[in-house]
Amino acid sequence: MFCYDIADPKRLVKVHRLMKKSGLAVQKSIFFIQGTELQMKALLGDLGKLIKPKYDDIRAYPVESPDKVWTTGGVLESYPLIVLEDKKEHNSHGKPSSSTASSAKVSFWRRLWKK
């Protein structure tokens, strides 16, 4: 989990763009990103080039497993970090309902957290 607080709007935009390419935004400045320790250090290095350490703060917290994250509301309600069932809701026309996360998003999370 990456969190950041960037003082300058121009630097904030650059950091946010890089973070959006790397993971899932769960709040405006909090992202879940899957990767090895080496990949996370590389991302922190890339982010370090965009910020001014005296004014900005970026932190990364390892999350052992998606079931170690407790949430209510927000994006994780729509796209949970862990999928407990394979049931798909469908509307009367046989198409997936809009309230169900897209299969691509679910597939992404399955790959992301597969051990």
Side-chain angles (χ1 to χ4, degrees):
M1 178 174 65
F2 277 71
C3 311
Y4 57 86
D5 185 15
I6 309 298
D8 179 71
K10 289 181 182 180
R11 289 193 308 271
L12 175 62
V13 168
K14 291 176 183 178
V15 167
H16 189 77
R17 282 185 186 148
L18 179 56
M19 297 302 292
K20 280 179 63 173
K21 292 177 184 176
S22 303
L24 176 69
V26 293
Q27 290 187 358
K28 291 181 181 179
S29 62
I30 300 175
F31 285 77
F32 276 108
I33 299 170
Q34 171 70 20
T36 65
E37 183 177 347
L38 185 61
Q39 291 168 325
M40 297 302 103
K41 287 180 178 180
L43 179 56
L44 282 170
D46 292 342
L47 291 164
K49 296 173 188 173
L50 302 175
I51 68 168
K52 292 190 176 181
K54 184 176 179 179
Y55 303 104
D56 304 328
D57 184 32
I58 298 176
R59 298 173 187 221
Y61 301 95
V63 176
E64 191 177 310
S65 173
D67 62 350
K68 304 290 183 198
V69 177
W70 299 297
T71 67
T72 186
V75 70
L76 292 181
E77 288 292 315
S78 299
Y79 302 109
L81 293 177
I82 189 167
V83 178
L84 299 176
E85 298 180 21
D86 284 339
K87 294 180 182 176
K88 293 183 181 178
E89 296 178 24
H90 293 81
N91 63 21
S92 60
H93 302 292
K95 296 180 181 177
S97 69
S98 59
S99 65
T100 303
S102 72
S103 61
K105 196 64 132 177
V106 171
S107 175
F108 169 77
W109 283 111
R110 279 203 183 114
R111 285 192 324 270
L112 187 68
W113 295 103
K114 187 175 183 181
K115 289 193 175 199

